[in-house]
Amino acid sequence: MSSENFTNSTYEDFAEEATEKITKISVYTPLIYVAIILTALITFSKIYRKRYINKLSHTKPFFPPNIQKQVYFELAAQDPKPNDKVLKAALFRWASESIRRTIKLKECEQSITKMYQAGSIGDELFTRYNFAKKFEELEIQNIAKEVEGIKKGWAPSFFPLLQEITFNEALKRRVGAIDSLNADQAKQWGLTKEYLEKLVANRPQMKIDVKRP
Amino acid sequence: MSNSKYNYDENSETWPYFAITLVGVLVIPSTVSSISSLFAKETKNTNGAITSTFKPLTFQLIKKFQSKSKASKLFNARNLLLVIGWGILLYLGNYVAHKEIESTAVLFDPFEILGIAASATDKEIKSIYRKLSIKYHPDKLSSSLSEIEKQKAEETFVLINKAYKSLTDATTKENFLKYGHPDGPQAITQGIALPKFLIESQGTVLVLAYVFVIAILLPFIVRYWWNNVKSYTKKGIRTETSTMFVEKILNYKPTTLLTPITILAWISESEEIKEALPKLPQEDIVEIFIAHCSRQMGFLAKEQDKLNAISKVPVLVNGLLDLACHFRNSEIALACIETLRSVASAVPLSGIRKQQLLQLPNVDSKAVEKSSISTLGKLFTLSEEEQKKALGIESSASLKEALDVASSIPLLKVLKAQFVVPGEDGVPPGSIAHISVKVMIKSAKHHGVVTFRTFPEDKFHEEETFETLRDPFKMLKDQPDLPPAFAPYFPTSMKTQWTSLLAIQKDGKLVEQPATTTNLDLSNLKLSPEEFKASLKDKGKDFVIGTIKIPLTQPAPPKEGNYEFRLMIKSNNYFGTDLDLPLVMVVKNPTEKVNEKIYEVPAPSDDSIAGAMAQMRGEPVSTSGDEYFDSEDEEELVEADGLGLDDEDDDWSDIDTDTDDEEDQEDPKEK
C-alpha cells in the first residue's frame, strides 16, 4: 500500500514542476546559437591554416642553397646573353645537383620513415623531409621546362646524360679524396715515416711450422 | 521523505573518504616510484666491479658534482608536490579519525540492549527483562549513587522497557529479524558525497570549478605533457638535436675521415650541450671534450659546468648511434662507440694504437706513446721495471693500482658463434633467427689460449625446453647484471655494457639496430693465473662461459644460400675487449630425414682436397658453416669445423683486434 502512495505522490510532484518550469524562448535563440558556433569554428580554422602555412614557409630547407641554380638564373638574366654553351653547362650543373639531392632523398626514404615510426625523430623533421621531396620533384619539372625552352625535344636525351654526369661527378669526388683520406688515416693512426720504417725493420721472421701437414 | 531530493553530505561523513582515495591514488604510486628511483643505484650488483683506490685529480670536483645531482634528485618540484600530497592525506586521515566518533548515529537494537542473541526464545527474553528491570528500576536503586548515575540508570531502564515491548510484539520482532528495523523494510536513501553548499549555492562554485578543470586545466596539462613528449625522442635526446644529427649524417661525405673528434664536434652543437655550456663557441666546447679525454683540466669554463656537459655525452652519443644505425652507416656507428669509451675512460683521442694502456689510471701518456707495447696482455708479460717504464709510472703503489685495473678489465674471447632458430637445426628460409655467441671472459693476466676445444662438447649444448622456445632470450637474464664500469674521470656512474652491431660483409652496411649486453658473469676474472692454468688443463672446469644473444628483427632471406655477416661486439667502456668476427648464415630448407639418405654419396668434407675442388665448382660441401669457432693458430684452423670461413678470417685479419699472439707468448720468467 505505502509504496503505491509513494509513486503516486512523486508523479504528481513531477507534473507540478513541469507545468511550472515552461519558459518561452525566442525563435532567434537557436539561430544565434548556430551562428556563434559556426563563426567560432570558421575563425579557428582560418587562423589555424594561416599559422600552418606560415610555419611551412618558415621551415628550414633540408639542403644548403643550390648555388648552381642561382648561377644559371643569373647567367640567363644577363643582358647580352652569354654563349649558348655556357648557359647549357650551367643548366647541367644545376640539374645534376638537383638529381644528386633527389637520389639522396630517395636513398634515405626508408631510414627516415623507420626512424619516424620508432620515435627517433620529431614531427618537424618528417614534414621537412616530405617537403624537400616534393620540392625536388617540382625542381625536376622546372628543369624539364627550362630544357625544353632552350631546345625543343631535348628532354628525353637530357636526363640520361644528366645521370651520367652526376655519377661521374660522384666518382671523381671519391677518387679525388683518396689521397687526402690516406693522409688523414696515417695521421690518425700515427703512421709516421719513422714508425713505418721501424715496423719494417722489426718485422718478425716468418716461422715455418714443420708439423703442418 | 521524497525521492526527488538527495541527501547532501552535511556532516562530512563520506567526502573525506572520497578525497583520501583520490589523493592516495595519485600520491602513493608516485612516492613508491620516487623512492625506488632514489635507491635504484645502491642496490646494484657489484660482483666483478673494479674497486680501485685510485683518485683522479678531478676527484673532489666529481664528488661535488655527484652530490649536487643527488640533491637535485631529492629537492625537485615533483617531490615538493609529493610532500604537499602527503600533507593533505595526513590532514584528511586525521580529520576522518576524529570525525568518526562524533558522527556515530545511535541505533536502536533491542537485542543488544537486553544483551541476548537474536535467536532467544520468548521465555528467555522475559527472564532477562525481569532481571534487568529489577537492577535498573528507579525505585530499587541504591541511595549511594550520584545524581548523574541515577539519571543514567533511569535512561537504561526506559530503553530496556522499550526493547522488551518491541520484542514481545510479534510483528515488530519479525521486522527486526528480517529487516533490522521495527517498521519493516526501509527505503534506500541516495546521497551525494559532497557538502550542500557546493551544489545548492546556485551551483556557481561547482560549475566554475568544473569549467576550470575541464576547459582550462585539462587541456593545459595535456598540452604540456604532449609538448614534453614531442620535444624528446624515444632515445631521450631533444628532437632539435636529433634533427641536427640527421642533417649531419645526411650531409656527411664519405670522402672525409670520420674520427671521434668529428662526433664530438657534432655533439657540441646539440641543444643539451649548449645549455650546459652557454656562451661558449663550438670550437671551445670541442676543446673541453678533448681536454677531458687527455685528462687535463682548468680552462675555458667552470669545472662543474664542464662535468655537467660531459655527463650528457653518453645519452647524446647513444642517440646518434641509433640514428646512424637507422641509416645503416657503420663508420658513424663505430666512431660513436669509440667516442663513448674515450669519454668514459678519458683516453686521448689521438693515441689510437695505445688506447688499451692509456685507459689505465696513473699512466703517463708520453711514456706510453714511446713504449713498444700496446696491449694489456703484453703488459703482463713484462717485469715490474719494464712495466713501470712502459706506463711511465714511478711508484710501486701507483703501478699496482694500474695493474689491478688492467687485470680486472674483462676481455672477451669467442668460443662459438652461430645463427640459431629456436626449434630448428639450421636456418630455414624466412625464419626469425638470433645470433648466439658463447664467450670466454678472461683477464689480461691469464695466459693461455681458451678455445672451443678446451671444453667438453656438452658444455655448449643448450637444452631446448618449452620456455626457451617461447623466449630464447630469457636465459640471458639468468646471468648476473654487469657491475658499474670503472670510469673515475667520468662525472656520473656508468654501466658496463657491450654494444653489438651486425653488418653485411658485401657493402659494410648495418642490418640491425644496436643490441646491448647488460648481463654477463664476470667471475672468471677472480681466478688467479695459476688457477686459470689448472682449469685450462682440466677441460675448463672452473671457467664460466658467457652467452651473448643478439635478436634479429628481420627474417632470414627467402632464398637458400650463404649470407655473410660481420658481427662487432664493442665495449662501451673499455678498450681491448672488442670482438669482431665473420659469421655466415646458411639458409637451408630443413631436410627430411628419410632412409634413402643412407645411400647418398656424402658431400666431400671441405677440409679435404675434394672438398676444396667442390667448393671451387660451387658444389655443396659439408660444413656447419653458420658457426664460427675461435681459431687461434693454423693447426686449430684445420681441425675446426667452421671451415667455410677460412677466407673470411684472412680477409678480416686486418680489422681483427685480437691480441692473442702477444698474449700467448709465454712469460719468460716462468720458464
Side-chain angles (χ1 to χ4, degrees):
Chain A
M1 265 310 272
S2 67
S3 72
E4 244 172 58
N5 280 338
F6 190 72
T7 27
N8 279 346
S9 74
T10 21
Y11 176 69
E12 277 160 22
D13 278 353
F14 272 125
E16 271 172 42
E17 271 175 42
T19 46
E20 265 173 32
K21 279 204 173 168
I22 282 182
T23 41
K24 286 180 180 171
I25 328 168
S26 153
V27 193
Y28 297 110
T29 313
L31 290 181
I32 291 170
Y33 176 77
V34 169
I36 286 176
I37 286 202
L38 276 183
T39 36
L41 286 177
I42 289 168
T43 349
F44 174 77
S45 93
K46 269 200 174 161
I47 291 174
Y48 181 80
R49 275 176 203 213
K50 217 177 191 176
R51 273 192 173 188
Y52 183 69
I53 289 169
N54 206 15
K55 213 172 121 196
L56 276 188
S57 64
H58 282 287
T59 41
K60 251 174 80 191
F62 222 58
F63 294 106
N66 193 341
I67 296 164
Q68 275 85 355
K69 186 181 172 184
Q70 287 168 15
V71 168
Y72 172 77
F73 278 109
E74 269 172 34
L75 281 174
Q78 264 175 11
D79 197 10
K81 258 201 167 179
N83 192 322
D84 213 27
K85 277 182 186 162
V86 175
L87 211 60
K88 276 184 190 169
L91 182 61
F92 268 121
R93 288 255 168 232
W94 166 27
S96 103
E97 176 63 21
S98 184
I99 287 278
R100 187 187 74 81
R101 288 176 182 192
T102 315
I103 291 173
K104 193 117 206 187
L105 285 173
K106 271 229 174 88
E107 256 177 16
C108 65
E109 182 165 16
Q110 217 187 353
S111 318
I112 295 258
T113 345
K114 254 184 167 172
M115 283 191 284
Y116 185 59
Q117 281 164 356
S120 293
I121 53 168
D123 291 342
E124 190 238 344
L125 182 72
F126 193 63
T127 30
R128 263 174 66 193
Y129 170 77
N130 285 328
F131 214 59
K133 224 169 61 177
K134 270 229 170 91
F135 182 80
E136 291 306 328
E137 269 170 34
L138 291 174
E139 192 82 339
I140 299 276
Q141 279 176 22
N142 269 349
I143 290 165
K145 253 187 220 160
E146 208 64 38
V147 167
E148 287 291 304
I150 286 179
K151 200 168 132 191
K152 262 219 151 142
W154 190 24
S157 59
F158 177 84
F159 281 102
L161 191 62
L162 189 63
Q163 204 169 351
E164 264 175 48
I165 290 175
T166 314
F167 287 144
N168 188 33
E169 288 278 310
L171 198 64
K172 253 193 199 162
R173 270 200 298 272
R174 275 174 179 66
V175 171
I178 286 176
D179 282 342
S180 67
L181 203 58
N182 250 349
D184 285 349
Q185 289 274 21
K187 201 178 148 204
Q188 170 84 356
W189 287 86
L191 302 176
T192 53
K193 208 177 163 198
E194 297 90 62
Y195 176 77
L196 289 175
E197 273 166 7
K198 207 174 104 192
L199 207 66
V200 172
N202 294 346
R203 182 180 51 186
Q205 290 301 306
M206 290 288 271
K207 272 186 265 170
I208 296 162
D209 205 340
V210 192
K211 278 187 286 177
R212 243 186 109 189
Chain B
M1 192 172 85
S2 166
N3 239 15
S4 64
K5 275 184 185 163
Y6 290 104
N7 286 330
Y8 292 111
D9 190 16
E10 273 314 300
N11 298 326
S12 310
E13 278 162 6
T14 11
W15 72 262
Y17 292 99
F18 177 67
I20 284 180
T21 321
L22 204 70
V23 177
V25 159
L26 291 175
V27 167
I28 292 169
S30 39
T31 310
V32 170
S33 82
S34 275
I35 289 175
S36 65
S37 80
L38 255 183
F39 292 100
K41 263 181 194 158
E42 267 98 291
T43 53
K44 262 268 148 76
N45 161 46
T46 50
N47 181 30
I50 300 178
T51 47
S52 177
T53 48
F54 171 69
K55 283 178 185 157
L57 282 176
T58 48
F59 183 72
Q60 288 304 328
L61 293 165
I62 288 171
K63 266 270 127 60
K64 200 174 145 202
F65 178 79
Q66 282 173 347
S67 64
K68 222 199 233 167
S69 64
K70 206 164 212 178
S72 74
K73 226 179 179 182
L74 202 63
F75 300 106
N76 53 21
R78 182 192 154 102
N79 287 358
L80 183 73
L81 279 179
L82 277 185
V83 168
I84 293 172
W86 275 107
I88 295 172
L89 211 58
L90 282 181
Y91 171 74
L92 286 172
N94 191 31
Y95 183 80
V96 164
H98 286 281
K99 193 79 191 167
E100 232 168 17
I101 304 160
E102 291 165 25
S103 65
T104 40
V106 186
L107 277 170
F108 177 68
D109 184 359
F111 296 106
E112 204 187 306
I113 292 166
L114 293 180
I116 48 170
S119 58
T121 58
D122 284 355
K123 245 188 182 171
E124 280 168 345
I125 293 170
K126 228 171 196 175
S127 75
I128 292 255
Y129 168 68
R130 285 238 173 91
K131 267 187 209 160
L132 286 172
S133 60
I134 288 167
K135 197 176 163 195
Y136 288 104
H137 197 281
D139 298 347
K140 300 204 171 141
L141 286 173
S142 74
S143 51
S144 62
L145 289 170
S146 67
E147 272 306 301
I148 302 167
E149 278 170 318
K150 267 183 188 166
Q151 222 165 20
K152 242 188 185 169
E154 263 169 46
E155 270 173 29
T156 325
F157 183 70
V158 171
L159 276 176
I160 290 164
N161 260 339
K162 229 172 151 186
Y164 176 67
K165 263 178 202 160
S166 67
L167 287 185
T168 41
D169 186 65
T171 40
T172 335
K173 195 187 170 189
E174 206 181 297
N175 276 341
F176 255 119
L177 289 174
K178 270 188 183 164
Y179 309 108
H181 199 276
D183 299 338
Q186 292 292 295
I188 296 162
T189 56
Q190 283 169 313
I192 294 172
L194 287 174
K196 194 173 182 177
F197 74 90
L198 270 181
I199 298 154
E200 296 256 309
S201 58
Q202 278 89 40
T204 35
V205 180
L206 196 70
V207 167
L208 276 182
Y210 181 79
V211 166
F212 177 73
V213 168
I214 297 288
I216 298 168
L217 197 65
L218 203 66
F220 181 77
I221 290 172
V222 169
R223 194 190 131 92
Y224 179 76
W225 167 79
W226 178 238
N227 273 351
N228 259 351
V229 167
K230 248 178 42 171
S231 60
Y232 282 90
T233 68
K234 277 265 168 65
K235 292 281 159 188
I237 59 172
R238 297 259 179 90
T239 37
E240 293 105 322
T241 308
S242 85
T243 304
M244 189 265 293
F245 284 157
V246 168
E247 277 171 16
K248 293 282 180 198
I249 296 173
L250 267 180
N251 291 318
Y252 156 69
K253 294 189 181 76
T255 51
T256 51
L257 183 67
L258 189 85
T259 63
I261 293 177
T262 325
I263 301 285
L264 286 176
W266 290 359
I267 281 168
S268 63
E269 280 181 46
S270 69
E271 294 294 320
E272 282 94 331
I273 298 291
K274 273 188 202 158
E275 222 165 65
L277 293 167
K279 291 179 202 159
L280 265 191
Q282 190 223 342
E283 301 85 53
D284 282 1
I285 298 177
V286 178
E287 276 307 310
I288 285 172
F289 287 145
I290 292 175
H292 163 78
C293 291
S294 315
R295 304 187 177 179
Q296 289 162 356
M297 52 180 285
F299 68 109
L300 287 171
K302 277 190 210 152
E303 287 300 323
Q304 292 299 314
D305 291 348
K306 285 202 269 190
L307 289 176
N308 187 20
I310 288 160
S311 72
K312 293 198 156 102
V313 170
V315 176
L316 291 168
V317 173
N318 277 322
L320 180 57
L321 175 68
D322 171 61
L323 296 175
C325 288
H326 273 298
F327 276 104
R328 307 182 58 204
N329 192 320
S330 52
E331 286 100 8
I332 298 177
L334 289 175
C336 278
I337 297 174
E338 199 78 6
T339 312
L340 199 58
R341 52 191 183 192
S342 281
V343 171
S345 38
V347 169
L349 297 158
S350 53
I352 276 191
R353 278 179 291 117
K354 304 284 183 168
Q355 283 157 334
Q356 287 192 33
L357 299 181
L358 289 170
Q359 67 184 324
L360 303 178
N362 295 329
V363 294
D364 178 41
S365 58
K366 276 182 196 137
V368 171
E369 291 289 350
K370 252 188 244 162
S371 78
S372 60
I373 64 158
S374 57
T375 63
L376 294 176
K378 182 101 178 189
L379 184 68
F380 280 96
T381 62
L382 301 178
S383 70
E384 198 181 315
E385 280 313 303
E386 284 171 314
Q387 283 172 340
K388 277 185 185 170
K389 207 182 142 217
L391 298 179
I393 294 173
E394 269 153 30
S395 79
S396 295
S398 303
L399 180 69
K400 197 183 166 289
E401 269 178 357
L403 291 183
D404 276 350
V405 173
S407 62
S408 316
I409 289 176
L411 305 183
L412 299 187
K413 297 282 154 227
V414 203
L415 302 172
K416 187 181 173 187
Q418 66 187 123
F419 286 94
V420 179
V421 178
E424 297 277 350
D425 281 337
V427 182
S431 59
I432 298 280
H434 66 262
I435 299 173
S436 166
V437 186
K438 295 281 178 193
V439 289
M440 168 76 194
I441 292 147
K442 63 181 233 182
S443 149
K445 67 183 174 198
H446 294 152
H447 297 293
V449 184
V450 185
T451 63
F452 180 65
R453 310 240 150 237
T454 312
F455 298 93
E457 194 90 358
D458 58 305
K459 255 219 148 152
F460 294 93
H461 184 70
E462 266 175 39
E463 197 142 339
E464 281 200 325
T465 61
F466 182 67
E467 270 305 297
T468 61
L469 283 181
R470 212 180 49 164
D471 183 8
F473 302 101
K474 198 171 166 265
M475 64 160 295
L476 296 181
K477 291 267 173 279
D478 298 340
Q479 301 181 100
D481 285 344
L482 281 165
F486 176 73
Y489 288 92
F490 192 73
T492 57
S493 133
M494 237 191 176
K495 284 178 194 155
T496 310
Q497 276 178 341
W498 276 271
T499 303
S500 308
L501 301 171
L502 187 69
I504 295 178
Q505 291 277 31
K506 235 193 280 172
D507 53 6
K509 288 202 166 162
L510 299 176
V511 253
E512 289 288 334
Q513 286 305 103
T516 30
T517 303
T518 52
N519 295 61
L520 266 183
D521 195 339
L522 299 183
S523 45
N524 285 353
L525 295 178
K526 286 189 194 136
L527 298 173
S528 70
E530 292 76 35
E531 284 171 325
F532 182 86
K533 277 255 158 74
S535 199
L536 189 60
K537 277 179 194 140
D538 195 11
K539 292 209 154 200
K541 175 174 58 105
D542 295 333
F543 294 158
V544 179
I545 299 174
T547 310
I548 296 174
K549 285 194 176 185
I550 298 141
L552 303 183
T553 49
Q554 289 168 25
K559 271 190 196 161
E560 288 195 351
N562 291 2
Y563 298 87
E564 289 167 4
F565 292 95
R566 172 185 172 194
L567 177 64
M568 293 159 273
I569 302 177
K570 300 249 163 194
S571 168
N572 287 4
N573 317 98
Y574 307 119
F575 288 92
T577 89
D578 297 347
L579 295 177
D580 200 327
L581 48 126
L583 266 182
V584 181
M585 183 196 256
V586 178
V587 178
K588 217 177 188 181
N589 274 316
T591 44
E592 279 174 45
K593 279 171 193 157
V594 278
N595 287 340
E596 282 170 43
K597 225 190 158 186
I598 298 167
Y599 304 107
E600 253 180 31
V601 179
S605 167
D606 73 345
D607 52 357
S608 64
I609 296 168
M613 298 292 282
Q615 206 169 24
M616 271 164 29
R617 288 194 299 268
E619 283 170 16
V621 283
S622 65
T623 56
S624 48
D626 54 342
E627 296 190 359
Y628 169 89
F629 295 96
D630 188 35
S631 18
E632 300 296 336
D633 53 31
E634 298 271 326
E635 268 177 62
E636 254 161 324
L637 256 181
V638 178
E639 279 172 30
D641 304 43
L643 275 178
L645 293 162
D646 294 9
D647 296 343
E648 281 87 22
D649 232 342
D650 291 341
D651 279 348
W652 292 100
S653 59
D654 54 334
I655 49 120
D656 212 81
T657 49
D658 257 359
T659 52
D660 286 311
D661 18 24
E662 283 158 330
E663 282 165 55
D664 301 339
Q665 290 174 353
E666 288 290 306
D667 197 331
K669 279 197 291 182
E670 266 180 38
K671 282 194 171 171

